[in-house]
Amino acid sequence: MKAAVLKSFGFPLAVEEVPEPVLGTGEVIVDVVATRVLSYSNEVFSGERKYALDLPVIPGAGGVGRVRAIGPDATKLSVGDWVLCDPTVRSRDDAIAPDIHLQGVSARGEGGMRLQKYFHHGSFAERMRVPTENVTRLGELSEAEATQWSVLGTMLVPYGGFLAARLQPGETVLVSGATGNFGSAAVAVALAMGAACVVAPGRNEKMLAELVRRYGARVRPVKLTGNENDDRELMKRTAPGPIDCALDIMPPSVATTVVRAAIMTVRPNGRVVLMGGVNMQGGPGLELPYNWIMRECVTIHGVWMYPRDAAARLIALVRAGLLKLEEYETTAFDLDHANEAVEHAAANGGAFKLTVIRP
């Protein structure tokens, strides 16, 4: 089969013929129809992000495809089913504290690297092998719709954060990083889950206005000034009432002062979700006042990805019409132009943008 292979950091992907994936028990082979290209893929492939990847590897974070073959433990899947492939692979021998790796992207710790050596290759290929539990049926789709459904991979990330925070309908949410790719998805997801209001801070006034245009008065934009104390008070005043939950999904380049200003807007007994990349590439860590956390009874959730059942729940929100995939502007490339797709994703990684490879 054809695939795009990362052989060395700092070099282009090599599009070439590679061996077919071999089915084992507890696994599914999927014909990949569409797979999103992460906006920061170029940073991973160059080695800038220093992700733990055992090379050579076929990269690619999940995708949409059709079932080609199933193992004996699959009782609901059928060959030909349209499915979403979740790249979050967990070890099966410790349900409480499993090791995790993101198939085709990175690994966490020694156990994650061991997982990566087996579920090694990602979705920049005509076919991929995934754990059975990482495949979720989508229902009927057309070939064209598969491209749009690939955005679920982006939406699942903030959805996992809101699930951890137990977001309730009618609550007020603040999304730190609202004008970015994952942040704008967080705004859409929070509203789909029933948030009464989303406070959306940022410096990109054009994108803040676009969020209001798309979602109306339930989005309250805040133009940040760069002064931590002033911005904190501005965000709190912009909210229609106390802020119940703050989700940070800022990239590694953002200063910790910006993140702290947003986090410390939550009310007493409020919740904070940390999902961003602060300190990922070195520099000062995030400092939060011990007394503020304790006296205000603030709960802080560190969340990496999402629970196993999140994909099915998110698909249900889309099918119910609460989450609109057509909000995204998609650009598709074939596998022969995988390197061009990576470049395009880096240059077009903002809000409501989606770059896709269709093998």
Side-chain angles (χ1 to χ4, degrees):
M1 69 172 183
K2 186 187 291 185
V5 184
L6 179 64
K7 295 185 176 181
S8 299
F9 291 117
F11 289 86
L13 300 172
V15 180
E16 60 188 28
E17 291 294 320
V18 300
E20 294 273 353
V22 178
L23 183 69
T25 301
E27 299 165 9
V28 177
I29 304 294
V30 175
D31 289 324
V32 181
V33 176
T35 174
R36 68 195 169 112
V37 182
L38 298 172
S39 60
Y40 55 85
S41 292
N42 61 327
E43 297 175 17
V44 177
F45 300 163
S46 69
E48 180 183 346
R49 287 217 174 194
K50 297 180 174 59
Y51 277 12
L53 267 175
D54 185 27
L55 304 184
V57 65
I58 300 169
V64 172
R66 305 195 77 165
V67 173
R68 185 180 184 87
I70 56 177
D73 61 334
T75 61
K76 304 290 178 62
L77 290 171
S78 299
V79 172
D81 281 349
W82 282 100
V83 292
L84 177 72
C85 298
D86 175 8
T88 313
V89 178
R90 299 170 176 84
S91 58
R92 295 163 168 164
D93 52 355
D94 188 339
I96 295 175
D99 287 304
I100 298 177
H101 99 95
L102 301 184
Q103 191 172 359
V105 182
S106 68
R108 186 182 72 184
E110 181 182 349
M113 287 300 294
R114 288 177 62 188
L115 274 177
Q116 185 185 112
K117 288 182 182 299
Y118 185 74
F119 288 109
H120 189 53
H121 296 304
S123 52
F124 287 11
E126 292 179 316
R127 285 169 285 285
M128 67 181 298
R129 179 185 65 186
V130 294
T132 305
E133 64 269 24
N134 285 53
V135 172
T136 305
R137 291 181 297 170
L138 289 168
E140 289 302 314
L141 297 182
S142 67
E143 291 278 339
E145 288 175 320
T147 298
Q148 206 78 52
W149 279 82
S150 299
V151 77
L152 285 181
T154 299
M155 291 179 162
L156 272 167
V157 176
Y159 185 54
F162 289 132
L163 288 177
R166 300 180 183 273
L167 177 63
Q168 300 298 308
E171 289 192 318
T172 294
V173 175
L174 183 143
V175 175
S176 177
T179 59
N181 190 252
F182 283 99
S184 57
V187 173
V189 168
L191 293 172
M193 294 175 71
C197 173
V198 176
V199 179
R203 296 186 180 183
N204 186 335
E205 290 185 90
K206 182 179 179 180
M207 194 59 240
L208 291 173
E210 178 63 15
L211 287 170
V212 174
R213 186 192 71 78
R214 288 172 183 250
Y215 300 115
R218 291 172 71 194
V219 173
R220 300 288 182 91
V222 179
K223 176 66 167 63
L224 297 176
T225 68
N227 179 286
E228 180 179 349
N229 292 330
D230 290 348
D231 284 341
R232 181 183 303 115
E233 293 308 309
L234 184 58
M235 287 183 271
K236 290 168 73 172
R237 289 198 304 269
T238 302
I243 296 173
D244 301 290
C245 175
L247 180 143
D248 177 79
I249 199 158
M250 285 287 200
S253 58
V254 173
T256 56
T257 53
V258 177
V259 176
R260 182 168 55 238
I263 287 172
M264 292 184 66
T265 61
V266 297
R267 63 168 170 78
N269 297 298
R271 295 97 70 203
V272 171
V273 181
L274 304 180
M275 299 195 80
V278 168
N279 194 233
M280 181 185 294
Q281 296 173 331
L286 176 64
E287 295 183 2
L288 291 173
Y290 183 107
N291 285 334
W292 173 77
I293 297 170
M294 181 268 291
R295 292 183 183 276
E296 301 298 314
C297 301
V298 171
T299 301
I300 298 177
H301 301 264
V303 183
W304 195 39
M305 306 308 282
Y306 37 81
R308 280 179 170 157
D309 64 347
R313 295 177 183 274
L314 192 66
I315 291 165
L317 287 179
V318 177
R319 290 299 188 189
L322 297 171
L323 199 55
K324 309 292 187 182
L325 303 184
E326 58 270 21
E327 296 271 350
Y328 279 76
E329 176 187 329
T330 60
T331 305
F333 294 80
D334 60 26
L335 196 54
D336 287 329
H337 295 87
N339 287 299
E340 288 89 335
V342 171
E343 293 175 6
H344 184 274
N348 298 273
F352 304 108
K353 302 283 189 179
L354 178 65
T355 302
V356 170
I357 290 176
R358 291 183 60 98

